[in-house]
Amino acid sequence: MYPQLAIEAAAQSDVGRRRSHNEDSFAALPCLGLFMVADGLGGNAAGEVASRMAIEVVKSCFEEDEDLEETWPYGTGSPHDRDEVRLVMSVRRANRAIYEASQKKEEVRGMATTFAGVLLGAGMAYMAHVGDSRVYRMRGGKLERLTRDHTLLAELLGDGDGAREAVEALSKRARTITRALGADENVEIESRVAATKPGDLLLVCSDGLWGPVPERRIAGILEAHRDLSFAAELLVDLANEHGGPDNVTCVLARLGGGGETARRGRRDERRM
């Protein structure tokens, strides 16, 4: 179901300068074409539990190669359709698992997490996200954001007639997350499908990177350094140089092409 693609990958995560522990989790799985970042919410280590559960549940849905009961009930969809739906349904399963766990244990009640994931297939990238973790694509020297933040400010700006409200929201509440896995029994998961080209570089990251670091600086690092492990380390260092206000995590995946041999990142899967 999951063809072997030539994918080079690397990942890096750090607690940052102002937090006592890291509530981010991630996975970089070239063998499955699956790359994910989750940024936990809730404090008292509950966010760490939620983010880890999100990654583990989604990963297990692809590792076991099982048929999710909700994946494709009609039997007529194309393989591309099924891959997109499978990713979304695996994230939905993660939401349910986190929510149910939070209802059973008082110490993790209210835990939640953002999530951003990319599934790379033949010529296509399937994305699913909730919250403000992001997916970017670097192509031809240009960095493009492929996801839309689920925050108060983003929703006000997205209304088309919310300029005044958006300006008023430019405060600590502006980046308040409006959706997260585990916050409610059901959550709206946003998905996107994009065609890929050989050489495309995908970046999945938490707001600990894109928040303090301007996108032009992120693009500059990715353009200047082809070694993905080194680039990931530089991005984390750059976030810390900009104050390191939050946990910072980035996952990089580059598609090979032609006769290029896949070089897997030294960190196939890692959680800092």
Side-chain angles (χ1 to χ4, degrees):
M1 182 176 180
Y2 307 106
Q4 291 294 313
L5 302 175
I7 304 174
E8 180 183 1
Q12 187 68 264
S13 185
D14 190 75
V15 67
R17 298 280 177 84
R18 303 181 191 174
R19 298 297 177 93
S20 60
H21 61 284
N22 195 345
E23 293 189 313
D24 287 0
S25 298
F26 67 90
L29 302 165
C31 58
L32 297 176
L34 185 61
F35 306 90
M36 304 176 282
V37 168
D39 180 356
L41 312 168
N44 298 321
E48 179 181 351
V49 175
S51 68
R52 184 172 64 248
M53 285 184 66
I55 298 299
E56 290 178 351
V57 170
V58 175
K59 180 180 69 170
S60 69
C61 290
F62 287 88
E63 285 183 330
E64 296 167 8
D65 201 21
E66 62 175 300
D67 288 330
L68 299 183
E69 63 274 14
E70 317 97 325
T71 296
W72 195 256
Y74 310 111
T76 57
S78 70
H80 291 326
D81 293 330
R82 289 193 293 270
D83 283 343
E84 179 187 6
V85 173
R86 185 179 184 85
L87 177 60
V88 171
M89 291 305 162
S90 69
V91 179
R92 182 173 295 175
R93 179 177 286 189
N95 178 75
R96 185 167 62 243
I98 296 166
Y99 178 79
E100 291 176 353
S102 73
Q103 300 304 301
K104 294 176 182 177
K105 296 182 179 180
E106 184 64 33
E107 60 269 27
V108 296
R109 191 171 299 276
M111 69 176 177
T113 183
T114 72
F115 177 88
V118 178
L119 175 65
L120 293 175
M124 305 295 288
Y126 309 93
M127 290 157 276
H129 75 286
V130 177
D132 64 354
S133 291
R134 291 180 174 180
V135 178
Y136 289 90
R137 179 181 61 202
M138 188 79 172
R139 176 187 287 175
K142 180 182 178 181
L143 185 68
E144 179 184 1
R145 177 153 58 103
L146 300 181
T147 53
R148 179 177 64 92
D149 297 338
H150 301 140
T151 61
L152 177 62
L153 180 59
E155 292 188 3
L156 288 171
L157 290 172
D159 288 339
D161 190 27
R164 182 177 60 83
E165 291 87 350
V167 171
E168 293 174 352
L170 288 174
S171 65
K172 291 183 178 180
R173 294 189 66 248
R175 284 177 58 184
T176 298
I177 293 172
T178 55
R179 299 184 213 171
L181 296 186
D184 294 293
E185 187 173 5
N186 296 296
V187 65
E188 183 180 354
I189 300 162
E190 188 164 343
S191 64
R192 177 173 179 176
V193 180
T196 59
K197 295 181 179 180
D200 278 356
L201 175 58
L202 282 299
L203 164 65
V204 190
C205 63
S206 64
D207 67 334
L209 176 62
W210 66 258
V213 182
E215 291 182 354
R216 60 179 177 79
R217 296 294 306 278
I218 296 174
I221 293 291
L222 298 179
E223 179 72 7
H225 302 283
R226 184 165 180 82
D227 185 294
L228 295 189
S229 294
F230 186 53
E233 292 175 4
L234 286 178
L235 289 174
V236 169
D237 289 345
L238 192 58
N240 284 328
E241 287 174 10
H242 281 73
D246 200 353
N247 307 147
V248 53
T249 300
C250 63
V251 172
L252 296 169
R254 180 163 53 222
L255 282 165
E260 183 178 343
T261 301
R263 293 179 295 162
R264 295 181 182 176
R266 288 175 292 180
R267 301 176 181 87
D268 271 8
E269 182 195 0
R270 174 181 166 196
R271 190 186 169 284
M272 298 290 290

